[in-house]
Amino acid sequence: MSTSKTVRKVEVLSPVPADIDIANSVEPFHISEIAKDLNLSPKHYDLYGKYKAKVLLSVLDELEGSGDGYYVVVGGITPTPLGEGKSTTTVGLCQALGAFLDKKSFNKLSNHLHMYQFTGNWYMYTYVKQLPLCKAMLEIWYVFLTLLCKEKVKRAVKLAQVVTCLRQPSQGPTFGIKGGAAGGGYSQVIPMDEFNLHLTGDIHAITAANNLLAAAIDTRIFHESTQSDKALLNRLCPPNKEGKRNFSDIMFRRLKKLGISKTKPEELTPQEVKKFARLDIDPASITWRRVMDVNDRFLRKIAIGQGPEEKGMVRETGFDISVASEIMAVLALTTSLADMRERLGKMVIGNSKAGDPVTADDLGVGGALTVLMKDAINPTLMQTLEGTPVLVHAGPFANIAHGNSSIVADKIALKLAGPGGFVVTEAGFGSDIGTEKFMNIKCRYSSLTPQCAVIVATIRALKMHGGGPEVIAGKPLDRAYTTENVSLVEAGCVNLARHISNTKAYGVNVVVAVNMFATDSEAELNAVRNAALAAGAYDAVVCTHHAHGGKGAMDLGIAVQKACENVTQPLKFLYPLDISIKEKIEAIARSYGASGVEYSEQAEKQIEMYSRQGFSGLPICMAKTQYSFSHNAAEKGAPTGFSLPIRDVRASIGAGFIYPLVGTMSTMPGLPTRPCFYDIDLDTATGKVIGLS
Amino acid sequence: MSTSKTVRKVEVLSPVPADIDIANSVEPFHISEIAKDLNLSPKHYDLYGKYKAKVLLSVLDELEGSGDGYYVVVGGITPTPLGEGKSTTTVGLCQALGAFLDKKSFNKLSNHLHMYQFTGNWYMYTYVKQLPLCKAMLEIWYVFLTLLCKEKVKRAVKLAQVVTCLRQPSQGPTFGIKGGAAGGGYSQVIPMDEFNLHLTGDIHAITAANNLLAAAIDTRIFHESTQSDKALLNRLCPPNKEGKRNFSDIMFRRLKKLGISKTKPEELTPQEVKKFARLDIDPASITWRRVMDVNDRFLRKIAIGQGPEEKGMVRETGFDISVASEIMAVLALTTSLADMRERLGKMVIGNSKAGDPVTADDLGVGGALTVLMKDAINPTLMQTLEGTPVLVHAGPFANIAHGNSSIVADKIALKLAGPGGFVVTEAGFGSDIGTEKFMNIKCRYSSLTPQCAVIVATIRALKMHGGGPEVIAGKPLDRAYTTENVSLVEAGCVNLARHISNTKAYGVNVVVAVNMFATDSEAELNAVRNAALAAGAYDAVVCTHHAHGGKGAMDLGIAVQKACENVTQPLKFLYPLDISIKEKIEAIARSYGASGVEYSEQAEKQIEMYSRQGFSGLPICMAKTQYSFSHNAAEKGAPTGFSLPIRDVRASIGAGFIYPLVGTMSTMPGLPTRPCFYDIDLDTATGKVIGLS
């Protein structure tokens, strides 16, 4: 076993044990060790227990002048029930770059340099015992060895830091069907129970903030219904100890919006009192729902206010799962505390009866929401199984929101990785959902430029896209998926090819990662490689990080390094912001293969309203099934010629996008008859979590 | 200014600034410094940022053989809208014992010994510069000085550790009417924003666990309604990879309860399949509600399941505020991880249609709830303004639950304080609510014995009990409260006297703390002191810790020390557990001054049911207004001769008590027209919270 402080050599077993058993088999490094490796000063992070730390935004100020690392985004082909292993590949790639290929090991200096043969190639890698030697000596040693064995040894990446940026998973599904989301096999984030549950409380903060705003809405409608304009004003501006009435700071935001420049409540005309004190919210227009981080289907549609004290003000509404809250989208897209304050304040909860948008600041609660979110803005530092650093931050819903981890985490990671280093971030689902939103929403707001996009595929998923038989949970997998069938693979590559060309259009180099299963044949793997290169991929490589950890993704690491170093084009968005909402929707629809777009009456009405309210300059976040390029989840492969139906259009003004609904999206999952929780328990003697998958 | 590491001399201003300004005026010690002072090894705590740490239960194992400190409980007279300052007094007392009177300062050694005159007496106190001298030298110095000035200098307490144990406040009211709950003036817990918001996530964990159980209930009813017994069993016990069906560990708990000793699903008879797989929950019997840590009155009564997928299974239920969850009561009363696992599993959510109690373990979720609560069981270490240690843990609702902080925090504190040290814990409201439940529920489960009870009173509150005019929010205080009126005070002392005699009956020494206001007169203060001593108080002292910090509670500290050292009786409970539910209710009612108890038909039915279900041996937790000894909040003073009406009776089987409802208790507060949140914002330049009160 290696005794390096933060590169952990994990002993790999075959067959691969259960994820929680692998996670529990290693003792994680104290997170301050991981921080130290990143040259992160203790003043720039706060510990949360032994294995988590919140990295403070102050580090961005300190590193403002320094350069960024390479920026790599990992997406997938169109998902199938078989899974592709995007998170696992993201982690595996970083372990390869950071723990096996990275000369952080060299950097600290090694007294063991190993030659390692894997998938037909020789790799040189090292692990560190105790002796720290100087970096220069190691570099010389490295160059010498590279020259000596140049035919046999692939050139490893340059001395580099590698940071993985992942979304925080929703806690609800962990107890439902899905289980955890920390990667899998020998490519995981640890401790996996802390990753999947609570983490550092960010989602809890979102729940609290979202629901405080919801309570403020109904209570305000209630109080307005029973009070005169004058009484409302008097209650809103109570006399202080000296008997004087004043506006609070947040009220000046509303006064400014209303064009009222008076500074004392008593100066307002009766007309101004009405405009200021009466929000006059139209209950039917309220789009703000309550949230909970639990799979509770019975809360999807509820009637509230049925108690006698609420005087018959019953209203139909519902709960979404917390990660579907606009506040989660705000967290993912914000760039600073001040920016978050503004975004939270301008979130629109519905309209006044006159049709004007009503915001959180109109309700007086934007500041309190910011206070509730002030720690959540700091990303959480964790580690992979092999000891490379991970920033976990934000996890917005990938359909009604943009499904990417946070801008601040990526920004911090790019500075910490530094020139020559790598930041690998994941974009949920296929390029139609994850990467499209990564480029056109996230990169637009962050001004960051990726160099390389990895597209993860599996032979079995491609077979399904090629027309393979349906997969039914609980039934054995059809033989088509476990025995060689090159033509099925080739047929499925149309899906991969469209993801490659769509992604390449942004100006990045595309590397295809084939996440290998034991049943995949050489011919099948070659078919994918050929199809990928034909479709314009920079490279296509096979990897086995699930079974082998970072070692299994070394080829991928080398390909990604080369792809990053050889970018020839600038970043190109799919659409400019200054065209109409409809033109933007149509540009995206074309990238799906659609020949046109159909708008419902409701969608037309909403587009007209948002345009009138001045929101047409926002980017578009399509709420569409992830299971097909089209709106029909059953259409695998690469459908064309369909007309994309837009059922409704909504807006997340604080987060900063318009989201057209293509079909019906469930925003609150349910529990099955036998949820995952049946297996989950605590070993009360050791304090360890058991049964988490 | 003192430069002692963990005794902070705070500069006191007059008039007293706003709480948040005082809190922000000092730089808190790093919490590891506070831990070090408590001789707490880093392996026994986890940092949560710079100013909070979770103390791990492992410290109890390490200190198992060592002795406990003195155990002091702080309660109040019957509360009035004027407030009594119980939390403030709790903190002030500890600052006095720990920062001013405590020779922790001596312990570390001082190069400045000060004589301090306060309320007519001379006190000796010290603050520390740099030089650590040995403890023995200081002791000699101290004894010498004491001999030298024995007429003038009150003897301070012995070398001692002092730990404050406080409840975690609910976040909801912080944004509503109440504001924060960290104490006030110069007797506060800091940082007050971290104390009031999120803390270390315990209440969020309770919310998550409570609502996972709620989702499990409705989903189970839903799935049972559409599946045969056989299909249910097959879904609950799906085949593993080898095609074998097995019971999960948690299912054996239910099998055992049902008296079924078979170990394989296929061995069950059809009758046993039905018994095992069909919980057959009676929807009308469900007492488990959802919770949220937000003042959201519109959730008090709701109809759930109105979505089309829920197939018309609409049910009326509601949300309580999170601190009203039974899981909060479990957290407060549990003694270990293993104990918590059992309590969470045996929580009863309602009955089967046959009338049998259905538990969390029957639903398969007891283990998952424990996993969600595994970090919440560790108390959070914080500090007072003057740098003494505080353990914040649990905050169960004081009417439908027992309103006391946790047993584990008190147990850890008593070990950390050690022999001669002090643990000061707060019991919510008056002795009828807080102290009664502290003694008969909390001490019964913890086997801990308090030596001293402090009862906090104010002149103005006593005047109100004596018949003073009503106090209306927003209107100036009546002159009766701000000018001398000895007879009104004397009349009000009947309330204080009953709290004293009720509390003394438990075998503890009672010290009355008069929390002084500038308008209180010497004659009024003397009247209270005389009445208190006449009613059997060990001592009665005036204190000014709000305005002066620990210095202002020095007399109180000395009185408490003497009271602890001179206990003559053993702890005596108000009732034994082995009498009937009604006999227990009646014993408590008599202590209120009631001449009898009236039970509603519903209450009779529930008492009969709980007795039949085998729960009659539990202690009783009365859900009664805190504003009167009686059920009528308007009856101030010490009412007698009334008949106490019991409207309904419920049970928290996991927490371990039966709770009779005396009148109607609101378990979900609302927001006013102008909630506190209007003033709360973040200074995004400094990251500081503003406007929190």
Side-chain angles (χ1 to χ4, degrees), chain A residues 46-47 49-50 198 220 223 227 236 290 296-298 301 303 305-306 310 372 671 673-674 678, chain B residues 46-47 49-50 198 220 223 227 236 290 296-298 301 303 305-306 309-310 372 671 673-674 678:
Chain A
D46 280 339
L47 292 173
K50 296 173 181 66
H198 304 312
R220 183 59 173 253
H223 289 305
Q227 294 174 42
L236 287 170
R290 288 167 177 80
D296 193 346
R297 55 184 291 168
F298 276 78
K301 195 166 172 191
Q306 304 207 320
E310 282 67 48
L372 281 169
L671 293 170
T673 304
R674 186 193 194 283
Y678 264 93
Chain B
D46 280 339
L47 292 174
K50 296 174 180 65
H198 303 313
R220 183 61 172 252
H223 288 306
Q227 293 174 41
L236 287 169
R290 288 167 177 81
D296 193 346
R297 55 184 293 169
F298 276 77
K301 196 166 172 188
Q306 303 207 320
E309 302 99 331
E310 283 67 48
L372 282 169
L671 293 170
T673 303
R674 185 193 194 283
Y678 264 93

Side-chain angles (χ1 to χ4, degrees), chain A residues 207 210-211 213-215 217 286-292 299-302 315-321 324-326 349 400 650 659 665-668:
Chain A
T207 305
N210 182 99
N211 295 344
L213 177 52
I217 296 167
I286 299 173
T287 48
W288 197 263
R289 290 158 58 89
R290 288 167 177 80
V291 300
M292 189 184 276
L299 295 182
R300 284 173 187 160
K301 195 166 172 191
I302 64 173
R315 187 168 76 82
E316 232 176 43
T317 180
F319 277 72
D320 296 330
I321 194 152
S325 168
E326 180 174 348
I349 60 91
I400 67 162
R650 307 245 173 93
Y659 61 101
M665 298 293 125
S666 171
T667 47
M668 174 54 96

